[in-house]
Amino acid sequence: MSDTENPPTDESTADDQRLPGEYDPSDVEPAWQDQWVTDGTYAYDESAAPRAADASGDEPRDDADTRFTIDTPPPTVSGNLHMGHLYQFTLQDFVARYRRMAENTVYFPFGYDDNGIASERLTERELDIRHQDFSRRAFQEKCRDVCADYEEEFTEDVQSLAISVDWDNTYKTIAPDVQRVSQLSFLDLYEQGREYRQRAPTIWCPDCETAISQVEQEDEDKATKFNDIAFDLVADSEGPITWDETFTISTTRPELLPACVSVFVHPDDDDNQHLVGGTARVPLFEQEVPIIADERVDMETGSGVVMCCTFGDQNDIEWYQAHDLDLRLAIDESATMTEVAGEYEGMSTTDAREAIIEDLDDAGHLLESRDHDHTVQVHERCGVEVEYLVTEQWYIEMLDKKDEYLDAGRQMDWYPEKMFSRYQHWIEGLEWDWCISRQRDSGIPIPVWYCDDCGEPVMADRGDLPVDPLSDDPPVDRCPECGHDDLTPEEDVFDTWATSSLTPLVNAGWDWDTESEDFVWDNPELYPFDLRPQGHDIISFWLFHTVVKCYEHTGEVPFENVMVNGMVLDENREAMSKSKGNVIPPSEVLENFPVDAARYWAAGTSIGDDFPYKEGDLEAGERLLQKLWNASRLVDQLTPTERPAEPDDLSAVDRWMLAELDATIDSVTAKFEDYAFSKARNELRSFFWNTFCDDYLEIAKQRLSEGGDASTEYTLVRAHRTFLQLFAPFLPHITEELWDRLDYAATADADGSIHTTDWPAAGGHEADLAAGETAMEVVSALRRYKTENGLPLNADLGHVEVYGHIEGFEAAVAEAMHVETLDVFEDAPDITTEISDIDLDYSVVGPEFGSDVGAIDAGIESGDYEIDDDTLVVASEFELGSDLFEIEESRTYSGEGEMTETDTAVVVVR
Ligand SMILES: [Zn+2]
Ligand SMILES: [Zn+2]
């Protein structure tokens, strides 16, 4: 056990004690969190980022690489902090903290996405109300109150994770300035011809009672019934028929029978071809519908004959459009049957389904009803099965530019690279333009009025934004198209993603200047952003829509780099979910562990990979904190308060330590640049723990035990300071506490916080790293020798021989391990190597040699074999190739003394 694990007691150094014996994170962590917020430690320094001379968007923006800008995900206000938040914010914070030290300044804002369905549903839940019972304004007010409470709590939670956000740069997507940006975006896209309003089938959530977009629907497996229903054929292609003939249609949704407008048969379906061109009568509802051939029919399902209803799914919509079919709307906005459903009018779709199945059975039309598992589309916010309704909605055109948006994605660097394929797959599967209007309350109003006479849309004036057409006047008194003087306000609001897709423009202060009649930027230097960090679950939502919007507004992609994180799983690698009851709230974790330990865990995986919550990793984090504290105490006790300057002649072992440190700085820096946090963490930890604490500190202690040594004192302090800085992005509290207590700020370029110091740079120290490492192995071997022989670590050793390359480190080894005579030889000592055993790979030897295997075994056993080059010849008869056997060797030292071997040396204690 080294002394860093067993620091001296307080009494021994009571007079010069800057670090108490125990590190108490429960006091230290919250104190620093408050201090950082009060001091504005993480404020974005605008002056470090020169503005372009002209603030208009056309001017080339300054691209001096002195700042790093991050477009953080505004969390949806829908509840409390979960482990996914903790993980994601912490990853972003590793980047922000590293960049803040490596570059001049960092823009790291924080926002809340507090408009849209999520916050509405939160408000409804929280206050036990329904949005339908209030005016838009009154309900919005309630949403704002509820969100404000949640946001306050959330902010405190995020601050308690030491996320180094600039708390002066925060935004809310419902705030007036953000509403302005959102409405401005709408007007700009309209003018560019990228938006249209259309009455057409839309994806509809009957529970939220609003249109939604393709991205908001998700697959869900459901158990249901497949019903075989007999339809009467009333005419064939020749005309009405006089005989009784029926055919079968299988459906999971008999409540759509009243909406049936046609029947389809595949053109290759020989069995049913005679139906094509005929007319069918829909059971119970009696409407007569045409039978049409179409290749989109899936012949494998049911009887191969299908009905088309307006609308049951996306196929129905395509058929409806392709064959110019009737429109029969049997289901309304709240999933209630309409008058088209006759006696079932007013029933919910589920009640109607049951009633219709019963009546079909009574009427002899239900042939069979069997269990069936299938996939349905549900609304991702509420889990309710979507419907397809004909409604009037606003769309952003996207399908015509799929290739361009794919190319835009390729212009960004993806970490990890493989995540680009998710973006690609989403675009390739895109079937709908983006429906951006929502029939809800708590959203940003769509700034339009419509002429009551000719329907012409009248857009708000850019200078007037934000507006609410429900309470604000239109910019004109009469319709510019026809002169009619009644204009009706738009009641709908925007999809929440229509606004959150603008966060880069919101953060950079994109705006419209009425005077110059041009777009302007408050902080043009921010855009495009260096980094978009986010989860892989919202690549199709947030990232894709941000690329589309920013690309259309600015002509360039909004990000240089995209960092995509995975999801946090439970200890059994299962997704955490309320229904499974395996959710671990961060508050529970942080009751038992320091924040720094949780951050250590969060640095434990490659970005992009889902990874489990593991208490063992947090415990490892705690042990590292303890090690760091103890090592710091030892360094503090060994070195003078007055920081030594770098001496001209460093001793060999000190120069070696500093050269190793240089190499580690370079390597860890490269890993941070590459977002390879787990590799950076592991390398840093192992170098600190093994090389610095276990090897170097032991030697330094010996050297300093008999009085000061400028070379070692300087090296200890420099290495220790550097460790604190390299660990700072991972462990911000303990490193700040040590930096402060050891008064390192006084010798640094920054005033106070370690987190605003310059990232360490290699010092150009050169040493024979291999010789140094071998010397450290020798020290370890001798320490082990003493322990195994029951000797104290400072016991004298009379005579030690080292066979290996430790040139320049002889004195250091002798001093550290109290060796009186140390002889070093470059050549190996007299060691006899003997083959102790030969292992055969029987999986190959068996089949190849069959019944001879016994003879081969016996030959090896009795020593009747020789090795000729790579071939094993047993009993002068059997030849075995090198892939069939492995040699085990034993090495014996026949000289005087006890031998120990290390990786690169042999040590003999005589
Ligand atoms: Zn819904
Ligand atoms: Zn008009």
CSV table of all heavy atoms in Angstrom, one decimal, residues 254-260 283-287 328-332 335-349 351-353 355-356 359:
chain,number,residue,atom,x,y,z
A,254,PRO,N,-63.6,-2.8,-38.3
A,254,PRO,CA,-64.9,-2.8,-38.8
A,254,PRO,C,-65.7,-1.5,-38.6
A,254,PRO,O,-66.6,-1.2,-39.4
A,254,PRO,CB,-65.6,-4.0,-38.1
A,254,PRO,CG,-64.8,-4.3,-36.9
A,254,PRO,CD,-63.4,-3.8,-37.2
A,255,GLU,N,-65.3,-0.7,-37.7
A,255,GLU,CA,-66.0,0.6,-37.5
A,255,GLU,C,-65.7,1.6,-38.7
A,255,GLU,O,-66.4,2.6,-38.8
A,255,GLU,CB,-65.5,1.3,-36.2
A,255,GLU,CG,-64.1,1.9,-36.2
A,255,GLU,CD,-63.0,0.9,-35.9
A,255,GLU,OE1,-63.3,-0.3,-36.0
A,255,GLU,OE2,-61.9,1.3,-35.6
A,256,LEU,N,-64.8,1.2,-39.6
A,256,LEU,CA,-64.6,2.0,-40.7
A,256,LEU,C,-65.5,1.6,-41.9
A,256,LEU,O,-65.5,2.2,-43.0
A,256,LEU,CB,-63.1,1.9,-41.2
A,256,LEU,CG,-62.2,2.8,-40.4
A,256,LEU,CD1,-60.7,2.4,-40.8
A,256,LEU,CD2,-62.4,4.3,-40.6
A,257,LEU,N,-66.4,0.5,-41.7
A,257,LEU,CA,-67.3,0.1,-42.8
A,257,LEU,C,-68.1,1.3,-43.3
A,257,LEU,O,-68.3,1.4,-44.6
A,257,LEU,CB,-68.2,-1.0,-42.3
A,257,LEU,CG,-67.6,-2.4,-42.2
A,257,LEU,CD1,-68.6,-3.4,-41.6
A,257,LEU,CD2,-67.1,-2.9,-43.6
A,258,PRO,N,-68.7,2.2,-42.5
A,258,PRO,CA,-69.4,3.3,-43.0
A,258,PRO,C,-68.6,4.2,-43.9
A,258,PRO,O,-69.2,5.0,-44.7
A,258,PRO,CB,-70.0,4.0,-41.8
A,258,PRO,CG,-69.1,3.6,-40.6
A,258,PRO,CD,-68.7,2.1,-41.0
A,259,ALA,N,-67.3,4.2,-43.7
A,259,ALA,CA,-66.4,5.1,-44.5
A,259,ALA,C,-65.8,4.4,-45.7
A,259,ALA,O,-65.0,5.0,-46.5
A,259,ALA,CB,-65.3,5.6,-43.6
A,260,CYS,N,-66.3,3.2,-46.0
A,260,CYS,CA,-65.8,2.4,-47.1
A,260,CYS,C,-66.2,3.1,-48.5
A,260,CYS,O,-67.4,3.3,-48.6
A,260,CYS,CB,-66.3,1.0,-47.1
A,260,CYS,SG,-65.8,0.0,-48.5
A,283,PRO,N,-71.9,-4.3,-46.0
A,283,PRO,CA,-72.8,-4.8,-45.1
A,283,PRO,C,-73.2,-3.8,-44.0
A,283,PRO,O,-72.4,-3.0,-43.7
A,283,PRO,CB,-72.1,-6.1,-44.5
A,283,PRO,CG,-70.7,-6.0,-44.8
A,283,PRO,CD,-70.6,-5.1,-46.1
A,284,LEU,N,-74.4,-3.9,-43.5
A,284,LEU,CA,-75.0,-3.0,-42.5
A,284,LEU,C,-75.3,-1.6,-43.1
A,284,LEU,O,-76.3,-1.0,-42.8
A,284,LEU,CB,-74.2,-2.9,-41.3
A,284,LEU,CG,-73.9,-4.2,-40.4
A,284,LEU,CD1,-73.2,-3.8,-39.1
A,284,LEU,CD2,-75.1,-4.9,-40.1
A,285,PHE,N,-74.3,-1.0,-43.8
A,285,PHE,CA,-74.4,0.4,-44.2
A,285,PHE,C,-75.0,0.5,-45.6
A,285,PHE,O,-75.4,1.6,-46.0
A,285,PHE,CB,-73.1,1.1,-44.0
A,285,PHE,CG,-72.6,1.1,-42.6
A,285,PHE,CD1,-71.8,0.0,-42.1
A,285,PHE,CD2,-73.1,2.0,-41.7
A,285,PHE,CE1,-71.5,-0.1,-40.8
A,285,PHE,CE2,-72.7,1.9,-40.3
A,285,PHE,CZ,-71.9,0.9,-39.9
A,286,GLU,N,-74.9,-0.6,-46.4
A,286,GLU,CA,-75.6,-0.6,-47.7
A,286,GLU,C,-75.1,0.2,-48.8
A,286,GLU,O,-75.7,0.2,-49.9
A,286,GLU,CB,-77.1,-0.3,-47.5
A,286,GLU,CG,-77.8,-1.2,-46.4
A,286,GLU,CD,-78.2,-2.6,-46.9
A,286,GLU,OE1,-78.9,-2.7,-47.9
A,286,GLU,OE2,-77.7,-3.6,-46.4
A,287,GLN,N,-74.0,1.0,-48.6
A,287,GLN,CA,-73.5,1.8,-49.7
A,287,GLN,C,-72.9,0.9,-50.7
A,287,GLN,O,-72.3,-0.1,-50.4
A,287,GLN,CB,-72.6,2.9,-49.3
A,287,GLN,CG,-71.2,2.5,-48.9
A,287,GLN,CD,-71.0,2.4,-47.4
A,287,GLN,OE1,-71.9,1.9,-46.7
A,287,GLN,NE2,-69.8,2.7,-46.9
A,328,ARG,N,-66.0,9.8,-47.5
A,328,ARG,CA,-67.0,9.5,-46.4
A,328,ARG,C,-66.4,9.6,-45.1
A,328,ARG,O,-65.6,8.7,-44.7
A,328,ARG,CB,-67.6,8.1,-46.7
A,328,ARG,CG,-68.5,8.0,-47.9
A,328,ARG,CD,-69.0,6.6,-48.2
A,328,ARG,NE,-69.9,6.1,-47.1
A,328,ARG,CZ,-71.2,6.3,-47.0
A,328,ARG,NH1,-71.8,7.0,-48.0
A,328,ARG,NH2,-71.9,5.8,-46.0
A,329,LEU,N,-66.6,10.6,-44.4
A,329,LEU,CA,-65.9,10.8,-43.1
A,329,LEU,C,-66.8,10.3,-42.0
A,329,LEU,O,-67.8,10.9,-41.6
A,329,LEU,CB,-65.6,12.3,-42.9
A,329,LEU,CG,-64.7,12.9,-44.0
A,329,LEU,CD1,-64.6,14.4,-43.8
A,329,LEU,CD2,-63.3,12.3,-43.9
A,330,ALA,N,-66.4,9.2,-41.4
A,330,ALA,CA,-67.3,8.5,-40.4
A,330,ALA,C,-66.8,8.8,-39.0
A,330,ALA,O,-67.4,8.5,-38.0
A,330,ALA,CB,-67.3,7.0,-40.6
A,331,ILE,N,-65.6,9.4,-38.9
A,331,ILE,CA,-65.0,9.6,-37.5
A,331,ILE,C,-64.6,11.1,-37.4
A,331,ILE,O,-64.0,11.7,-38.4
A,331,ILE,CB,-63.7,8.7,-37.4
A,331,ILE,CG1,-64.1,7.3,-37.4
A,331,ILE,CG2,-62.9,9.1,-36.1
A,331,ILE,CD1,-63.0,6.3,-37.5
A,332,ASP,N,-64.9,11.7,-36.3
A,332,ASP,CA,-64.6,13.2,-36.2
A,332,ASP,C,-63.3,13.4,-35.4
A,332,ASP,O,-62.6,12.4,-35.0
A,332,ASP,CB,-65.8,13.9,-35.6
A,332,ASP,CG,-66.0,13.7,-34.1
A,332,ASP,OD1,-65.2,13.0,-33.5
A,332,ASP,OD2,-66.9,14.3,-33.6
A,335,ALA,N,-62.5,11.3,-32.3
A,335,ALA,CA,-62.7,9.8,-32.5
A,335,ALA,C,-64.2,9.4,-32.1
A,335,ALA,O,-64.4,8.4,-31.5
A,335,ALA,CB,-61.7,9.0,-31.7
A,336,THR,N,-65.1,10.2,-32.5
A,336,THR,CA,-66.5,9.9,-32.3
A,336,THR,C,-67.1,9.7,-33.7
A,336,THR,O,-66.8,10.4,-34.6
A,336,THR,CB,-67.2,11.1,-31.6
A,336,THR,OG1,-66.5,11.4,-30.4
A,336,THR,CG2,-68.7,10.8,-31.3
A,337,MET,N,-68.1,8.7,-33.7
A,337,MET,CA,-68.7,8.4,-35.0
A,337,MET,C,-69.6,9.5,-35.5
A,337,MET,O,-70.4,10.1,-34.7
A,337,MET,CB,-69.5,7.1,-35.0
A,337,MET,CG,-68.7,5.9,-34.4
A,337,MET,SD,-67.2,5.5,-35.3
A,337,MET,CE,-67.8,5.0,-36.9
A,338,THR,N,-69.5,9.9,-36.8
A,338,THR,CA,-70.3,11.0,-37.3
A,338,THR,C,-71.7,10.4,-37.9
A,338,THR,O,-71.9,9.2,-37.8
A,338,THR,CB,-69.6,11.6,-38.5
A,338,THR,OG1,-69.6,10.7,-39.6
A,338,THR,CG2,-68.2,12.1,-38.1
A,339,GLU,N,-72.5,11.3,-38.5
A,339,GLU,CA,-73.8,10.9,-39.0
A,339,GLU,C,-73.6,9.9,-40.1
A,339,GLU,O,-74.6,9.1,-40.4
A,339,GLU,CB,-74.6,12.1,-39.4
A,339,GLU,CG,-74.0,12.9,-40.5
A,339,GLU,CD,-74.8,14.1,-40.9
A,339,GLU,OE1,-76.0,14.2,-40.4
A,339,GLU,OE2,-74.4,14.9,-41.8
A,340,VAL,N,-72.5,9.9,-40.8
A,340,VAL,CA,-72.2,8.9,-41.8
A,340,VAL,C,-72.4,7.5,-41.3
A,340,VAL,O,-72.8,6.5,-42.0
A,340,VAL,CB,-70.8,9.1,-42.5
A,340,VAL,CG1,-70.4,7.9,-43.3
A,340,VAL,CG2,-70.8,10.4,-43.3
A,341,ALA,N,-72.1,7.3,-40.0
A,341,ALA,CA,-72.2,6.0,-39.3
A,341,ALA,C,-73.6,5.6,-38.9
A,341,ALA,O,-73.8,4.6,-38.3
A,341,ALA,CB,-71.3,6.0,-38.1
A,342,GLY,N,-74.6,6.4,-39.3
A,342,GLY,CA,-76.0,6.1,-39.1
A,342,GLY,C,-76.3,5.9,-37.6
A,342,GLY,O,-76.1,6.7,-36.8
A,343,GLU,N,-76.8,4.7,-37.3
A,343,GLU,CA,-77.3,4.4,-35.9
A,343,GLU,C,-76.1,4.4,-34.9
A,343,GLU,O,-76.3,4.4,-33.7
A,343,GLU,CB,-78.1,3.1,-35.8
A,343,GLU,CG,-77.3,1.9,-36.3
A,343,GLU,CD,-78.1,0.6,-36.1
A,343,GLU,OE1,-78.3,0.2,-35.0
A,343,GLU,OE2,-78.5,0.0,-37.2
A,344,TYR,N,-74.9,4.3,-35.4
A,344,TYR,CA,-73.7,4.3,-34.5
A,344,TYR,C,-73.2,5.7,-34.2
A,344,TYR,O,-72.2,5.9,-33.5
A,344,TYR,CB,-72.6,3.5,-35.1
A,344,TYR,CG,-73.1,2.1,-35.5
A,344,TYR,CD1,-73.4,1.8,-36.8
A,344,TYR,CD2,-73.2,1.1,-34.5
A,344,TYR,CE1,-73.9,0.6,-37.2
A,344,TYR,CE2,-73.7,-0.2,-34.9
A,344,TYR,CZ,-74.0,-0.4,-36.2
A,344,TYR,OH,-74.5,-1.7,-36.5
A,345,GLU,N,-73.8,6.7,-34.8
A,345,GLU,CA,-73.4,8.1,-34.6
A,345,GLU,C,-73.3,8.5,-33.1
A,345,GLU,O,-74.2,8.0,-32.4
A,345,GLU,CB,-74.4,9.1,-35.3
A,345,GLU,CG,-74.0,10.6,-35.1
A,345,GLU,CD,-75.1,11.5,-35.7
A,345,GLU,OE1,-76.0,11.1,-36.3
A,345,GLU,OE2,-74.8,12.7,-35.6
A,346,GLY,N,-72.3,9.2,-32.7
A,346,GLY,CA,-72.1,9.6,-31.4
A,346,GLY,C,-71.3,8.6,-30.5
A,346,GLY,O,-70.9,8.9,-29.4
A,347,MET,N,-71.2,7.4,-31.0
A,347,MET,CA,-70.4,6.4,-30.3
A,347,MET,C,-68.9,6.7,-30.5
A,347,MET,O,-68.5,7.2,-31.5
A,347,MET,CB,-70.6,5.0,-30.8
A,347,MET,CG,-71.9,4.4,-30.4
A,347,MET,SD,-71.9,2.6,-30.9
A,347,MET,CE,-73.6,2.2,-30.6
A,348,SER,N,-68.1,6.3,-29.5
A,348,SER,CA,-66.6,6.3,-29.7
A,348,SER,C,-66.2,5.2,-30.7
A,348,SER,O,-67.0,4.3,-30.9
A,348,SER,CB,-65.9,6.1,-28.3
A,348,SER,OG,-66.0,4.7,-28.0
A,349,THR,N,-65.1,5.3,-31.3
A,349,THR,CA,-64.7,4.3,-32.3
A,349,THR,C,-64.6,2.9,-31.6
A,349,THR,O,-65.0,1.9,-32.3
A,349,THR,CB,-63.3,4.6,-32.9
A,349,THR,OG1,-62.4,5.0,-31.9
A,349,THR,CG2,-63.4,5.8,-33.9
A,351,ASP,N,-66.4,1.7,-29.0
A,351,ASP,CA,-67.7,1.2,-28.8
A,351,ASP,C,-68.4,0.8,-30.1
A,351,ASP,O,-69.0,-0.2,-30.2
A,351,ASP,CB,-68.6,2.3,-28.1
A,351,ASP,CG,-68.2,2.5,-26.7
A,351,ASP,OD1,-67.4,1.7,-26.2
A,351,ASP,OD2,-68.7,3.5,-26.0
A,352,ALA,N,-68.2,1.7,-31.1
A,352,ALA,CA,-68.8,1.4,-32.4
A,352,ALA,C,-68.2,0.1,-33.0
A,352,ALA,O,-69.0,-0.7,-33.6
A,352,ALA,CB,-68.5,2.5,-33.4
A,353,ARG,N,-66.9,-0.2,-32.8
A,353,ARG,CA,-66.3,-1.4,-33.3
A,353,ARG,C,-67.0,-2.6,-32.7
A,353,ARG,O,-67.4,-3.5,-33.4
A,353,ARG,CB,-64.8,-1.5,-32.9
A,353,ARG,CG,-64.1,-2.7,-33.4
A,353,ARG,CD,-62.7,-2.7,-33.0
A,353,ARG,NE,-62.0,-1.6,-33.6
A,353,ARG,CZ,-60.6,-1.4,-33.4
A,353,ARG,NH1,-59.9,-2.2,-32.7
A,353,ARG,NH2,-60.1,-0.3,-33.9
A,355,ALA,N,-70.1,-2.8,-31.3
A,355,ALA,CA,-71.5,-2.9,-31.7
A,355,ALA,C,-71.6,-3.4,-33.1
A,355,ALA,O,-72.5,-4.2,-33.5
A,355,ALA,CB,-72.1,-1.5,-31.6
A,356,ILE,N,-70.7,-2.9,-34.0
A,356,ILE,CA,-70.8,-3.3,-35.4
A,356,ILE,C,-70.4,-4.8,-35.6
A,356,ILE,O,-71.1,-5.5,-36.3
A,356,ILE,CB,-69.9,-2.4,-36.3
A,356,ILE,CG1,-70.5,-1.0,-36.3
A,356,ILE,CG2,-69.6,-3.0,-37.7
A,356,ILE,CD1,-69.6,0.1,-37.0
A,359,ASP,N,-73.5,-6.7,-34.6
A,359,ASP,CA,-74.6,-6.6,-35.6
A,359,ASP,C,-74.2,-7.4,-36.9
A,359,ASP,O,-75.1,-7.9,-37.5
A,359,ASP,CB,-74.9,-5.1,-35.9
A,359,ASP,CG,-75.5,-4.4,-34.7
A,359,ASP,OD1,-75.9,-5.1,-33.7
A,359,ASP,OD2,-75.5,-3.2,-34.7
